[in-house]
Amino acid sequence: MKIYQTNEFKNLAIVGNAGSGKTTLAEAMLFEGGLVKRKGNINAHSTVCDYFPIEHEYGYSVYSTIFHVEWKGIKLNLIDCPGSDDFVGGAVTALNVADAALLVLNTQHGIEVGTQNSFRLADKYHKPLIFVLNQLDHEKAEFDRVLEQLKETFGSKVMPVQFPVETGPDFKAIVDVLEQKLYTWKAEGTEPQVEDIPANLKDKAEAYYAALIEAAAENDEALMEKFFDEGSLNNEETLKGIKLGLAARGIFPVVCACGANGTGVSHLLDFIKDTAPGVSDVPAPKNNEGKEVAPDANAPCSLYFFKTSVEPHIGEVCYFKVMSGKVKEGDDLHNTSRSSKERISQLFCVAGSNRIKVEELQAGDLGATVKLKDVRTGNTLNAKGLDHKFDFIKFPDPKYRRAVKPVNEADMEKMMTILHRMRAEDPTYVIEQSKELRQTIVHGQGEFHLRTLKWAIENLDKLPIVFAEPRIPYRETITKSARADYRHKKQSGGAGQFGEVHLIVEPYYDGMPAPDMFKFGGQEYKITNRDTQEYDLEWGGKLVFINSIVGGSIDARFLPAILKGIMGRMEQGPLTGSYARDVRVIVYDGKMHPVDSNEISFMLAGRNAFSTAFKEASPKILEPIYDVEILVPGDRMGDVMGDLQGRRAVIMGMQSEKGFEKLSAKVPLKEMSNYSTSLSSLTGGRASFTMRFASYELVPADVQEKLLKEYEAQQQEKE
Ligand SMILES: Nc1nc2c(ncn2[C@@H]2O[C@H](COP(=O)(O)OP(=O)(O)OP(=O)(O)O)[C@@H](O)[C@H]2O)c(=O)[nH]1
Ligand SMILES: [Mg+2]
């Protein structure tokens, strides 16, 4: 394979709604580029881009797939991303390493929630974007209607550069607006026939042409001047304007295609080759120190590893982007992220599962290697003298969780190894071994996402596992002040034990004043703040511990033991055994025995006094509340709202956004357990949502009652 220079390739992510035909289009591109002799088909499980068994099992993309097409002297690196929201990690990574996006739509359906989500992601990463109106062979595909919809939704930057002569089964020809020519395909993979535009389409073509020239002129001062002086631009100038406009996100060109029969695909490749930004045409990425790293082939080598996959017969394949310099087989590099050495023994350009050996890859290019010792997704390998690290890929928060365990307890370790390997392949899985909940929890993007994980573990690793409802990390706190004493006393033959603690508890809140005086049962307790210690609890919230002992009733050396006793009870709250938080404890009095007092006695006295006071202080259970944001088509708003009400949600806002309604709500985690599934069935898969931890709030009285009863029953079972 030819060694491509930095200005001879382009990196693009193929994104869009699930089922919009991205993988089929990718196959058509591979076929056009001559990389495959027979075009793959999703339904026949013969695609290059969906090649994992699980993708064949379900018939949709699970992983992003990197492939390239050598096209008229240029190498196009393309990343076919899964469209389902459950596998959004693939698109997040792809959009970060690519320099532009192809946003594919099924023209039959127009804008779908996945179109919106892909657009938002491309927007977030400031990526240039080309809309591909695909599947134009459908009976119900209406190009003009969808074009209008795109303009309404995404604004006047949406600019057709092609339009179809006919849609439906007769979709064979398109008009190229810039060239003012008609392109007709007789058979897939053959050269199109190029002719003049038929008379009946001339007006439409010219109207689009005029708009395109004007849009092209807007992206460059010199072009603008020329346009004002002469009223027009020549084709070369217009193309330059489109290229600049695309790179600067001033134009979102719209092209036509049918991945299934190949119509328009070679012309799409031409369009990408002519207009898509190269790696040097977009802002250079920044390393972790905020320094721009330009894709300079003459600089020292730096490779950023963005993806790992484990493939049959080969093992780990690691994919990287050359951030600067060149990489050759045999290069020795330093893994700056893990302080280890690596040798690049083999270098590949990939097309799905096909690997093509290459001698060298240059700055900006995408490649793969195998047999590395210790490289994880997110690591950077550098040549001597460089210490770049990159962490520009940020994955969305998980929104679906399940407790997981092996059917056979003895397989626990094996299961954990597999889970960690799967996380390396898909960083949107989060694995948590929760000491608090006494469960292993896998977090993911949705039910499908976790079902995929289960399928892979059971079918590929042959390890049966079970999913269960994860426990909720409740918290306990108090809502008023209370006082208690406890005397721990034991006399059994030899040395005895004695410790007595008097303390007050009260709810803690940020910025509360120092305590001064309390009144309980008509008696006043004056506080002397001798020492205040504030602890940020590992599980959130605070414990504040105040020493207000006067007259030496308890020796200062016993205070740490009292604190330890209290902390032990905070870790296992008095109500339900959940972590307690946000309490201020004031130890104001107690008693010692000259011989029998020791640390253990004060620990127990502290623990029990705290427990009693806590229970007197109107204790309450807190539950985690999440900020949930839902994007829903207007016609399903009522159903979605109704469902949310059944989930104890508090609606925070509603807003129309680009043809959808955006709903914000605060919802208890407990009620979100099956939300991704419900939302999907309520809206026919047309909605999407995100969730993020917001705060802990008191549970309603009936829920608290129920939790207390459950805990009691559990404790009795144990006895
Ligand atoms: N008629 C027609 N069907 C198509 C076309 N492209 C794809 N399909 C069909 O649509 C379905 C989905 O196609 P895929 O290529 O898997 O779509 P995708 O966008 O990769 O889907 P995800 O990977 O799940 O996001 C398959 O059954 C394809 O055969 C097209 O241009 N015309
Ligand atoms: Mg796909």
Side-chain angles (χ1 to χ4, degrees):
M1 188 180 192
K2 165 181 162 183
I3 295 176
Y4 285 90
Q5 311 291 311
T6 293
N7 59 1
E8 291 180 322
F9 51 77
K10 311 200 166 193
N11 303 320
L12 291 100
I14 308 180
V15 294
N17 200 77
S20 52
K22 299 174 292 298
T23 303
T24 306
L25 183 66
E27 293 304 312
M29 290 174 164
L30 282 162
F31 182 66
E32 290 291 341
L35 218 110
V36 295
K37 297 282 172 274
R38 251 189 77 218
K39 195 173 134 195
N41 185 298
I42 292 285
N43 309 316
H45 303 169
S46 58
T47 51
V48 169
C49 288
D50 282 356
Y51 62 98
F52 281 95
I54 188 146
E55 301 183 308
H56 291 165
E57 169 76 15
Y58 287 123
Y60 52 70
S61 307
V62 168
Y63 303 104
S64 61
T65 306
I66 299 157
F67 67 99
H68 66 273
V69 176
E70 294 185 88
W71 192 252
K72 304 183 182 173
I74 294 272
K75 185 169 76 148
L76 306 176
N77 291 316
L78 295 140
I79 310 178
D80 172 28
C81 301
S84 156
D85 220 18
D86 280 41
F87 306 105
V88 65
V92 169
T93 300
L95 284 168
N96 271 288
V97 298
D99 304 305
L102 294 180
L103 204 174
V104 179
L105 283 92
N106 180 343
T107 313
Q108 182 179 218
H109 301 316
I111 294 178
E112 299 177 81
V113 66
T115 318
Q116 294 273 5
N117 288 339
S118 301
F119 186 88
R120 284 168 154 214
L121 276 182
D123 200 40
K124 183 169 169 192
Y125 304 124
H126 312 293
K127 297 294 170 177
L129 188 145
I130 299 169
F131 286 107
V132 182
L133 294 196
N134 189 33
Q135 308 212 19
L136 283 168
D137 59 324
H138 278 293
E139 207 72 69
K140 289 192 193 138
E142 290 175 64
F143 180 87
D144 293 335
R145 183 183 63 82
V146 178
L147 180 62
E148 274 319 300
Q149 202 189 10
L150 284 176
K151 284 184 176 166
E152 263 170 38
T153 312
F154 303 114
S156 58
K157 294 175 178 180
V158 174
M159 194 51 61
V161 294
Q162 306 169 351
F163 64 87
V165 175
E166 240 179 291
T167 52
D170 290 330
F171 172 58
K172 298 244 164 23
I174 61 167
V175 170
D176 183 298
V177 173
L178 179 62
E179 293 174 21
Q180 291 286 302
K181 289 281 180 204
L182 175 76
Y183 280 72
T184 311
W185 281 263
K186 289 240 156 56
E188 185 164 14
T190 59
E191 284 285 315
Q193 196 174 322
V194 187
E195 295 157 287
D196 286 337
I197 301 174
N200 64 335
L201 294 174
K202 262 212 132 63
D203 286 352
K204 186 173 179 180
E206 277 168 13
Y208 281 157
Y209 185 59
L212 185 60
I213 289 183
E214 201 172 327
E218 276 171 16
N219 290 285
D220 185 74
E221 259 178 48
L223 291 177
M224 197 65 184
E225 231 167 81
K226 172 130 196 283
F227 179 71
F228 273 121
D229 288 349
E230 299 176 15
S232 188
L233 299 176
N234 64 31
N235 278 9
E236 203 178 311
E237 290 159 342
T238 310
L239 193 64
K240 183 181 168 198
I242 296 173
K243 208 174 154 179
L244 291 170
L246 175 57
R249 290 174 52 82
I251 295 181
F252 302 136
V254 181
V255 300
C256 317
C258 168
N261 70 21
T263 300
V265 175
S266 59
H267 208 54
L268 167 60
L269 292 170
D270 280 340
F271 183 75
I272 297 172
K273 171 183 126 339
D274 292 338
T275 63
V279 287
S280 315
D281 300 327
V282 290
K286 290 187 175 142
N287 69 10
N288 287 3
E289 275 146 25
K291 200 177 139 233
E292 282 194 356
V293 179
D296 175 3
N298 297 316
C301 172
S302 181
L303 308 181
Y304 174 68
F305 284 78
F306 61 87
K307 177 179 156 77
T308 312
S309 72
V310 178
E311 310 211 355
H313 316 300
I314 301 161
E316 258 184 21
V317 180
C318 299
Y319 297 83
F320 58 84
K321 180 170 188 176
V322 187
M323 305 304 289
S324 72
K326 307 173 179 131
V327 59
K328 287 197 205 54
E329 279 194 2
D331 277 358
D332 286 312
L333 299 171
H334 180 72
N335 185 343
T336 309
S337 316
R338 299 180 67 77
S339 301
S340 53
K341 285 207 163 74
E342 294 283 352
R343 167 159 293 180
I344 305 292
S345 60
Q346 296 176 52
L347 211 52
F348 302 104
C349 263
V350 293
S353 57
N354 305 332
R355 273 166 294 276
I356 297 144
K357 262 181 158 303
V358 282
E359 269 170 57
E360 182 183 299
L361 292 168
Q362 301 214 354
D365 213 343
L366 307 182
T369 182
V370 292
K371 300 197 170 59
L372 292 178
K373 281 188 312 204
D374 181 30
V375 171
R376 311 218 176 136
T377 303
N379 288 175
T380 310
L381 298 195
N382 289 309
K384 238 192 180 146
L386 269 191
D387 59 356
H388 291 319
K389 281 192 210 164
F390 298 93
D391 68 353
F392 44 75
I393 305 187
K394 302 268 185 281
F395 293 101
D397 294 321
K399 50 195 190 195
Y400 190 79
R401 51 202 276 283
R402 278 288 162 272
V404 56
K405 63 178 183 191
V407 169
N408 186 345
E409 292 262 330
D411 288 332
M412 191 65 188
E413 216 178 300
K414 191 170 163 203
M415 183 189 81
M416 290 313 293
T417 310
I418 298 170
L419 286 176
H420 287 296
R421 190 199 69 216
M422 296 204 54
R423 171 170 164 75
E425 288 179 57
D426 178 351
T428 55
Y429 288 125
V430 176
I431 317 293
E432 179 198 3
Q433 268 181 302
S434 170
K435 190 178 107 195
E436 172 187 8
L437 306 176
R438 296 176 305 282
Q439 286 178 318
T440 302
I441 305 212
V442 277
H443 303 255
Q445 292 296 318
E447 190 190 346
F448 251 163
H449 194 213
L450 292 197
R451 207 198 289 163
T452 305
L453 174 115
K454 189 167 190 283
W455 187 93
I457 296 178
E458 296 195 322
N459 290 279
L460 306 177
D461 294 293
K462 309 279 180 231
L463 184 83
I465 57 169
V466 278
F467 275 162
E469 194 65 37
R471 298 192 181 104
I472 302 291
Y474 290 108
R475 298 283 178 264
E476 298 178 11
T477 196
I478 51 176
T479 55
K480 64 173 208 192
S481 53
R483 198 201 66 79
D485 306 343
Y486 192 89
R487 173 181 293 180
H488 175 76
K489 188 175 171 185
K490 224 177 191 178
Q491 247 136 10
S492 49
Q497 292 186 351
F498 184 93
E500 184 173 316
V501 173
H502 302 194
L503 52 72
I504 293 168
V505 296
E506 61 175 335
Y508 167 83
Y509 60 91
D510 270 344
M512 72 191 291
D516 177 33
M517 210 260 296
F518 289 91
K519 223 172 171 177
F520 296 105
Q523 196 178 333
E524 284 185 356
Y525 297 82
K526 181 101 186 78
I527 304 301
T528 323
N529 291 286
R530 298 188 56 189
D531 179 39
T532 302
Q533 292 173 28
E534 231 180 87
Y535 296 92
D536 284 315
L537 302 167
E538 241 176 75
W539 51 88
K542 283 198 173 161
L543 169 70
V544 176
F545 183 71
I546 296 181
N547 171 6
S548 169
I549 306 247
V550 281
S553 56
I554 304 178
D555 241 14
R557 70 191 158 104
F558 291 127
L559 283 165
I562 297 173
L563 174 64
K564 198 169 165 194
I566 293 169
M567 202 53 114
R569 207 68 188 116
M570 293 282 290
E571 262 179 50
Q572 218 181 32
L575 290 186
T576 61
S578 309
Y579 290 133
R581 57 178 284 166
D582 299 327
V583 185
R584 184 153 84 175
V585 186
I586 302 139
V587 179
Y588 67 89
D589 202 0
K591 280 201 181 72
M592 285 188 301
H593 183 274
V595 182
D596 291 348
S597 277
N598 58 10
E599 284 182 4
I600 185 92
S601 309
F602 276 102
M603 199 179 91
L604 288 169
R607 178 185 169 92
N608 288 317
F610 176 73
S611 201
T612 310
F614 194 97
K615 285 181 185 156
E616 293 288 312
S618 292
K620 289 273 169 2
I621 298 174
L622 302 167
E623 63 179 338
I625 304 290
Y626 276 67
D627 278 327
V628 179
E629 223 176 74
I630 308 153
L631 208 57
V632 55
D635 59 327
R636 295 301 164 95
M637 197 55 178
D639 297 340
V640 171
M641 287 283 264
D643 173 76
L644 278 174
Q645 265 143 22
R647 294 175 192 274
R648 295 193 279 131
V650 179
I651 308 291
M652 305 302 289
M654 233 184 290
Q655 207 184 331
S656 290
E657 192 181 282
K658 297 187 170 149
F660 281 70
E661 297 295 325
K662 193 164 94 182
L663 250 173
S664 325
K666 289 199 181 288
V667 192
L669 177 64
K670 171 103 172 75
E671 309 295 334
M672 289 297 289
S673 150
N674 62 348
Y675 193 61
S676 77
T677 320
S678 303
L679 183 67
S680 177
S681 70
L682 274 178
T683 61
R686 287 163 60 219
S688 76
F689 76 104
T690 56
M691 61 188 274
R692 163 167 278 188
F693 172 75
S695 59
Y696 269 98
E697 303 296 339
L698 300 182
V699 301
D702 56 324
V703 177
Q704 170 146 338
E705 196 66 24
K706 204 171 134 229
L707 289 169
L708 290 177
K709 282 207 176 106
E710 273 170 21
Y711 184 67
E712 218 169 276
Q714 248 177 46
Q715 294 308 100
Q716 274 165 8
E717 230 169 74
K718 275 190 197 160
E719 277 162 15

